[in-house]
Amino acid sequence: MQLTDDIDLISRRREQVYLLLAGFFLCSMTLLNIIGITKFVQLGPMALAVGVLPYPLTFLCTDLVSELYGKRRANFMVTVGLIMNVFVIVVLSIGNWLPAVAIDTQPPWQILQLAQQVTTPSGASVTGSVELYFLIYATTSGAVIASMLAYVAAQYCDVHLYHFWKRLTHGKHLWLRNNFSTLISQGVDSFMVISVTFGAAFLAGAMSLQQMLLLMGSNYLFKFCAALADTIPLYIAVHYLRRYLHINA
């Protein structure tokens, strides 16, 4: 009876920790999609979309799940994230397609009066009055599609490379598989997400090549620093969680 209770306790702990890691993973990804490129912030030499700030946490979560639960459950978490991305795009698109209420019943914040012409990330220019939702949709839908494409390439790449380095080093050198898998996959992510998000604006002449490269470089530099900084937290988390979850190295 005691053995059964211990097994149930360990099993419950493992599922709770997995749910917590998956929750942080999905929350960070959702924040990227919601706040996305609505604001750019300056961190030292880096110009970053505010949605990028929580994104490096997704790679820490995938590395932790890969280390503690294996490749299959890490890939499952990434697949759930992909489904969430598709759901966000569908909801945004439905909101854009549905007709707005009559002008006399619209709340005062639904229509904005523009003082000058504004170019959206899609390359389209708007003047005069514009719906608030149109601006939200214009600045998030492209970013969501871009992040989904980058997400598919980068996150699956991260899981695959993590286990590649783990096999190559026979389970040793945690820092190596953590950093090498993350730094490579985040390079893929940074290039794809900026290219797809701002590609239309660049082709329309609204953005210069220098601006594109600055965003790519800033994006990757931030993720590069975050990847190096999460090495110690990863070691600490793996050390204590292995004991807490009764997982052998």
Side-chain angles (χ1 to χ4, degrees):
M1 185 65 179
Q2 182 61 43
L3 178 60
T4 302
D5 290 342
D6 289 343
I7 293 174
D8 288 342
L9 176 62
I10 293 170
S11 177
R12 186 165 60 251
R13 283 180 178 179
R14 290 180 179 179
E15 291 309 307
Q16 287 172 343
V17 171
Y18 181 79
L19 179 61
L20 183 65
L21 292 173
F24 275 115
F25 176 88
L26 295 172
C27 184
S28 299
M29 185 200 68
T30 304
L31 278 172
L32 171 66
N33 292 332
I34 293 175
I35 58 180
I37 58 173
T38 55
K39 180 179 180 179
F40 282 83
V41 296
Q42 191 73 40
L43 292 180
M46 299 177 290
L48 300 169
V50 69
V52 173
L53 299 180
Y55 191 61
L57 184 60
T58 63
F59 290 92
L60 176 60
C61 290
T62 53
D63 286 353
L64 275 171
V65 172
S66 292
E67 185 67 25
L68 299 170
Y69 296 90
K71 185 177 182 179
R72 184 177 64 84
R73 299 208 72 178
N75 278 331
F76 175 76
M77 185 176 70
V78 172
T79 301
V80 172
L82 176 62
I83 294 171
M84 296 300 100
N85 259 320
V86 173
F87 177 73
V88 169
I89 293 173
V90 170
V91 173
L92 284 172
S93 299
I94 291 174
N96 188 55
W97 292 333
L98 290 174
V101 298
I103 296 179
D104 57 344
T105 60
Q106 288 179 355
W109 60 83
Q110 187 167 330
I111 299 295
L112 302 178
Q113 300 297 328
L114 302 178
Q116 59 185 15
Q117 179 176 291
V118 174
T119 301
T120 66
S122 66
S125 297
V126 291
T127 56
S129 62
V130 62
E131 279 191 329
L132 174 62
Y133 188 84
F134 172 81
L135 288 181
I136 295 174
Y137 181 77
T139 55
T140 56
S141 59
V144 172
I145 294 172
S147 69
M148 183 174 69
L149 295 175
Y151 171 89
V152 170
Q155 295 290 354
Y156 284 114
C157 177
D158 183 58
V159 173
H160 178 76
L161 287 174
Y162 187 92
H163 287 277
F164 167 78
W165 290 112
K166 187 173 183 179
R167 289 194 303 270
L168 193 66
T169 59
H170 304 289
K172 300 178 181 179
H173 309 304
L174 175 60
W175 65 270
L176 188 146
R177 57 181 176 272
N178 169 53
N179 287 308
F180 276 36
S181 63
T182 301
L183 293 177
I184 295 172
S185 57
Q186 288 189 345
V188 173
D189 178 88
S190 298
F191 173 78
M192 289 191 65
V193 75
I194 297 299
S195 298
V196 178
T197 301
F198 300 105
F202 170 71
L203 293 175
M207 287 189 71
S208 66
L209 178 60
Q210 182 180 358
Q211 289 174 310
M212 290 275 287
L213 294 176
L214 174 63
L215 290 176
M216 287 181 189
S218 297
N219 202 294
Y220 183 68
L221 179 60
F222 172 71
K223 293 174 182 177
F224 180 91
C225 295
L228 296 180
D230 75 14
T231 302
I232 293 177
L234 178 69
Y235 266 88
I236 295 172
V238 168
H239 174 73
Y240 284 103
L241 286 176
R242 273 182 177 158
R243 293 169 57 185
Y244 180 69
L245 303 176
H246 294 264
I247 296 175
N248 297 323

